[in-house]
Amino acid sequence: MASIENRSHYQVSVKNRDDLTKTFPHDKQKNAEAYCQSLRVQKFKPKLILLDDHYMVRIRKKGHEDQVLYANSLKEAELVRAKLKVEHSQGLFVDYSKAQNTTLAELMIRYLREEAPRNKSFEIDAYKINAMLEDAGLQRQSIAEIVASHPNPCAKVKAMKIRKETGKKMRPAACSATRFILKPFAQIVPDDLTEYVDERCQAVSKSTVDRELDIISAVCNIAIKTWRIHLLVSPMDGVKRPKYFNERDRRLKADEEGRLLEGAFVEDQKWSQAFRLDQLVSPELQQAEGSPTRYRIWQTRKRNLRKAQASLVHIPMYETFVQFQLMTGARRGESLSLLWSNVDLELQTAFLPETKNGRPRKLPLRSDLIELLRQLPRTSELVFDFTNEALRKAWSRMCNHAAFTDDDDLHVHDLRHEAISKVAEIGSNTPGGFSLLDLQAFSGHRDVRMLLRYAHLCTQGLAKRLDMAFSSDKTCTTHRGRKRLKAEAKIPLRGLIDGVIEQPAETCEDSSEDQVAPATMITPRVENVSVESKASEWNAPLPKNVISVDFRRRAA
């Protein structure tokens, strides 16, 4: 059933002459003997031995393909044969040969073709995998061909526009460290990946290396769990990932928001002019005979340029985008993919059917933002009718106009951080405040641990809630398990029956003569009580020994 074949190397050595030592493959014994004879002619005393470094375990079983496994010693080979014997006696037949005969590069190509198109991050993962394959000396895979041939790609991947491949490398090469992917899957050890991490960290940031390890880890998991390429231990077990801290805490200072909006206003002037020019040029080109050439389009736009400048209407496209980020805390991709059909200006909500964490959510739209959205044209299904690349270029110009230096640069995602921070701060200044769960509903984070960076901003609100929780000791006391109102509460019986309690001005720290604290509404439920008979008692103050009664209906 299982046989062990010694394929160890032959070694010829000479005492105290390491430079004369040579090794030969197991099938080159004659060459080893010839070299040994040549050393004797030179008056040396060579020694020819068969090493114990390579064994082949061949498994044959009727109804199954032959398996070939390799071991580094005779002892290891015997352990492999004994393990397989026990498994076969229990009716198990695990094919360990796939991991020996398949390289990690082949698994990465299979992952790119079969699994990656199902993910929203397919394009980025494809570029990274292709870069690793190219660094190892292999051919890149065509992204367009992969998407076209996949039976069930992700909706976003299926609809995306594939960029034209230019052959230009987008990252520094790491040829020596990446060649480990050419090894068989079963022979890859954590040291190979550690060497890759050490070399890559010299060229790129640690966070970039960590994301590349995520792809390798995904390939290993799919290969072991889904494709049933069996290994005793995954190559990723024991790999030390690079430690880094890249959490940004950039906040807008003083007049930076105003300067950024001024830059957005300049960009909106350009966008409004281009929008008006397209309105003038489009009908003229449609009336022309034949399909318009680039020269004709250029001439038509040049001829209508002054007319567009004189008749344009300012459209706050980029200004609305900036305010949208600051007021809703949405992610950049969520804002750019927002459709008019998912925006309800009357209810002041914007529905996001697909977010980063895969769960839909609604954004609350403030009235100021609603007024800006009403000024945007609806010539497209998208609310913000510009591409991610156009936003990148416009954002760079806006930051230059706002004089943001490299040491104090501002990213689009920083606006989301600013929005969440503002909500946390404002919530701390309002009665009751906002908790981390409130911030989670606003930001759309799936894991509340992502919001711990904003916990210090909620501390003030927590203090106010604690004051409210313990302030009841001033107006009530507990006697035999029941709460009794003190005389200091000054709550009349009429207020309890009517469900409207007016707090006296002297009991409110922040109240004035013109302001009365809001009443606590209680739903009265009084049975068989004559209101007329109690009319004389309503204006009387509540006695000290009267127990406070809750008239609200209790749910089962």
Side-chain angles (χ1 to χ4, degrees):
M1 182 181 66
S3 60
I4 299 177
E5 182 179 344
N6 190 351
R7 293 200 170 190
S8 301
H9 294 80
Y10 287 97
Q11 184 184 70
V12 179
S13 60
V14 178
K15 188 177 181 180
N16 299 328
R17 289 296 303 270
D18 294 339
D19 58 313
L20 298 178
T21 301
K22 282 188 177 182
T23 57
F24 298 86
H26 72 283
D27 56 347
K28 300 295 182 182
Q29 181 179 0
K30 293 183 178 179
N31 293 353
E33 293 175 350
Y35 177 66
C36 189
Q37 183 62 32
S38 65
L39 292 178
R40 291 193 183 98
V41 173
Q42 300 177 30
K43 306 300 182 182
F44 292 109
K45 296 181 179 180
K47 184 179 180 180
L48 176 62
I49 59 174
L50 180 63
L51 300 176
D52 183 29
D53 63 347
H54 193 71
Y55 289 84
M56 184 177 71
V57 182
R58 188 185 298 274
I59 302 99
R60 296 184 177 90
K61 187 173 183 180
K62 187 176 181 180
H64 298 276
E65 295 182 359
D66 291 354
Q67 294 187 48
V68 177
L69 303 177
Y70 298 95
N72 295 325
S73 65
L74 178 60
K75 183 178 180 180
E76 183 180 345
E78 290 176 347
L79 289 176
V80 170
R81 181 171 62 176
K83 180 180 183 339
L84 294 175
K85 184 177 180 180
V86 172
E87 290 181 353
H88 290 183
S89 65
Q90 297 175 350
L92 303 176
F93 191 82
V94 181
D95 188 0
Y96 294 101
S97 62
K98 289 183 180 180
Q100 295 280 2
N101 301 326
T102 307
T103 64
L104 179 58
E106 294 173 344
L107 296 178
M108 293 174 71
I109 294 174
R110 181 179 176 183
Y111 175 84
L112 181 59
R113 289 188 168 275
E114 297 181 9
E115 298 296 331
R118 305 179 192 273
N119 305 327
K120 294 185 292 185
S121 60
F122 163 73
E123 189 176 16
I124 297 175
D125 293 346
Y127 284 128
K128 292 179 180 179
I129 292 177
N130 272 332
M132 291 189 221
L133 295 176
E134 190 174 22
D135 291 344
L138 301 177
Q139 187 177 1
R140 298 174 63 94
Q141 302 295 309
S142 174
I143 299 178
E145 179 186 346
I146 292 173
V147 175
S149 60
H150 196 273
N152 185 28
C154 173
K156 180 181 177 181
V157 174
K158 189 175 182 180
M160 76 177 184
K161 184 179 180 181
I162 305 297
R163 304 179 193 177
K164 183 179 179 181
E165 298 184 14
T166 60
K168 182 180 178 181
K169 288 190 175 182
M170 302 299 294
R171 65 166 215 171
C175 299
S176 60
T178 315
R179 290 192 176 278
F180 77 93
I181 68 174
L182 301 177
K183 296 173 61 176
F185 188 42
Q187 298 181 16
I188 296 177
V189 293
D191 287 343
D192 296 325
L193 292 161
T194 302
E195 182 182 353
Y196 173 79
V197 170
D198 292 340
E199 182 171 332
R200 286 291 289 158
C201 284
Q202 304 300 322
V204 296
S205 64
K206 294 181 179 180
S207 59
T208 300
V209 180
D210 190 49
R211 287 190 289 269
E212 292 175 357
L213 289 179
D214 287 339
I215 295 178
I216 298 175
S217 177
V219 173
C220 293
N221 290 334
I222 288 291
I224 296 173
K225 298 178 181 179
T226 304
W227 299 335
R228 295 293 191 268
I229 301 179
H230 298 281
L231 285 179
L232 296 178
V233 181
S234 172
M236 290 298 300
D237 289 352
V239 175
K240 293 184 178 179
R241 291 175 176 262
K243 296 182 179 180
Y244 60 94
F245 182 82
N246 62 348
E247 185 178 285
R248 287 177 61 86
D249 195 18
R250 177 70 161 87
R251 295 290 306 274
L252 293 176
K253 310 171 187 174
D255 61 337
E256 285 186 345
E257 181 177 343
R259 285 153 46 194
L260 181 64
L261 292 176
E262 289 177 3
F265 179 84
V266 175
E267 288 300 315
D268 286 335
Q269 286 290 98
K270 299 177 182 178
W271 193 92
S272 301
Q273 177 179 309
F275 179 76
R276 178 56 180 162
L277 188 58
D278 289 339
Q279 288 181 327
L280 297 175
V281 169
S282 180
E284 188 172 339
L285 292 177
Q286 290 178 359
Q287 294 176 2
E289 297 180 0
S291 59
T293 61
R294 289 188 177 181
Y295 178 76
R296 179 183 295 178
I297 295 175
W298 177 75
Q299 285 290 341
T300 307
R301 295 181 70 87
K302 183 179 179 181
R303 186 169 56 253
N304 290 276
L305 180 59
R306 289 191 176 182
K307 186 177 179 181
Q309 292 174 345
S311 60
L312 68 85
V313 176
H314 182 79
I315 301 174
M317 179 62 70
Y318 286 100
E319 179 185 356
T320 305
F321 175 81
V322 172
Q323 294 287 17
F324 191 87
Q325 300 300 108
L326 289 173
M327 294 185 188
T328 64
R331 300 178 180 89
R332 177 181 56 184
E334 295 171 349
S335 300
L336 294 181
S337 61
L338 181 62
L339 303 177
W340 280 115
S341 57
N342 292 330
V343 176
D344 193 329
L345 299 180
E346 300 299 328
L347 297 180
Q348 297 185 212
T349 59
F351 177 67
L352 300 175
E354 185 177 3
T355 60
K356 181 181 178 181
N357 55 33
R359 294 184 178 182
R361 68 187 181 105
K362 280 188 177 182
L363 300 176
L365 304 180
R366 288 158 52 182
S367 57
D368 297 343
L369 184 57
I370 293 293
E371 294 303 320
L372 288 172
L373 289 172
R374 292 185 190 277
Q375 300 179 42
L376 300 185
R378 300 201 179 193
T379 55
S380 171
E381 294 182 352
L382 296 173
V383 175
F384 301 105
D385 193 12
F386 47 78
T387 62
N388 193 12
E389 183 67 17
L391 173 62
R392 184 186 65 81
K393 295 178 179 178
W395 182 262
S396 178
R397 293 191 294 266
M398 290 160 56
C399 290
N400 290 336
H401 185 276
F404 294 145
T405 61
D406 293 338
D407 297 335
D408 202 22
D409 63 334
L410 186 71
H411 298 173
V412 176
H413 196 75
D414 293 333
L415 300 183
R416 170 174 165 82
H417 174 63
E418 177 71 16
I420 301 175
S421 300
K422 278 186 176 180
V423 171
E425 289 176 342
I426 294 175
S428 294
N429 296 325
T430 56
F434 289 151
S435 65
L436 288 181
L437 292 179
D438 297 327
L439 288 183
Q440 184 184 24
F442 175 78
S443 65
H445 284 106
R446 187 171 181 176
D447 192 346
V448 74
R449 290 176 297 179
M450 298 294 293
L451 290 168
L452 292 180
R453 60 192 296 195
Y454 305 101
H456 67 284
L457 300 176
C458 301
T459 306
Q460 187 177 353
L462 176 60
K464 292 183 178 182
R465 291 197 299 273
L466 290 173
D467 286 342
M468 295 180 62
F470 289 96
S471 63
S472 60
D473 293 341
K474 300 178 182 179
T475 58
C476 64
T477 184
T478 303
H479 177 67
R480 294 184 179 179
R482 293 184 177 181
K483 279 191 174 182
R484 293 175 179 267
L485 291 174
K486 293 183 179 179
E488 290 80 2
K490 297 183 179 180
I491 300 177
L493 183 60
R494 178 177 181 177
L496 292 175
I497 297 177
D498 289 348
V500 179
I501 302 174
E502 295 185 357
Q503 187 176 359
E506 57 269 14
T507 62
C508 300
E509 298 179 358
D510 299 332
S511 63
S512 62
E513 295 181 357
D514 299 331
Q515 294 178 344
V516 178
T520 303
M521 299 302 299
I522 304 177
T523 304
R525 185 190 179 193
V526 183
E527 297 180 358
N528 301 326
V529 177
S530 175
V531 177
E532 291 77 11
S533 64
K534 298 295 182 179
S536 61
E537 300 178 7
W538 284 351
N539 295 325
L542 187 68
K544 297 181 180 180
N545 60 346
V546 174
I547 299 175
S548 176
V549 180
D550 189 355
F551 293 94
R552 289 176 293 183
R553 183 184 299 274
R554 297 299 182 181

